[in-house]
Amino acid sequence: MIVEIDPDAAAPPYEQLRAQIAALIRTGRLSVGDRLPSIRQLAHDLGLAAGTVARAYRELEAAGYLRGRAGQGTVVRDIPHLPEGERTARLADAARAYAAAVRELGVDVDVALATARHHLTDPGD
């Protein structure tokens, strides 16, 4: 599992981690049943506090992406099917976070939209 945390990003580290793991699951890079690193191991690998990784894992578990069991580790579940209202709310949250990052970087709106469009159509890039 390859994730990167940008300490200078507008989003906090737990949110960066949560979003990247969710994206890995949605794109199939992490499959149902794949086991994730332990909280301690991933925290060590990324130079984060264990509580930061634990929060990301908890949020992913609450969203239905992961299942954690004592002694068995944390594994990927099937991609959750969200109700329309929740999906719309999450999309709006993501759009607000992206817009904040774009403003923080001072990027032109047209460039930001082109960049988003590129990554939506080619998520592997």
Side-chain angles (χ1 to χ4, degrees):
M1 178 173 69
I2 299 173
V3 294
E4 294 180 5
I5 303 302
D6 179 358
D8 298 322
Y14 80 88
E15 175 57 25
Q16 293 178 55
L17 182 58
R18 185 209 61 76
Q20 289 180 52
I21 292 173
L24 289 169
I25 293 168
R26 284 191 306 274
T27 60
R29 291 183 180 163
L30 284 174
S31 301
V32 174
D34 283 353
R35 190 172 179 169
L36 273 63
S38 71
I39 290 170
R40 282 188 189 146
Q41 183 62 52
L42 189 56
H44 178 268
D45 292 349
L46 296 174
L48 298 173
T52 300
V53 175
R55 181 171 179 182
Y57 276 21
R58 274 194 313 273
E59 290 192 9
L60 287 162
E61 191 169 351
Y65 285 97
L66 302 178
R67 183 191 62 210
R69 291 201 178 143
Q72 296 179 356
T74 302
V75 297
V76 174
R77 293 179 60 179
D78 201 2
I79 298 173
H81 299 284
L82 301 174
E84 183 65 28
E86 185 174 350
R87 186 173 42 195
T88 300
R90 286 187 184 193
L91 180 60
D93 287 345
R96 280 190 290 277
Y98 183 65
V102 167
R103 284 190 296 273
E104 181 180 305
L105 294 169
V107 175
D108 179 76
V109 171
D110 291 331
V111 172
L113 291 173
T115 302
R117 187 173 293 107
H118 170 78
H119 287 284
L120 285 167
T121 57
D122 188 9
D125 187 20

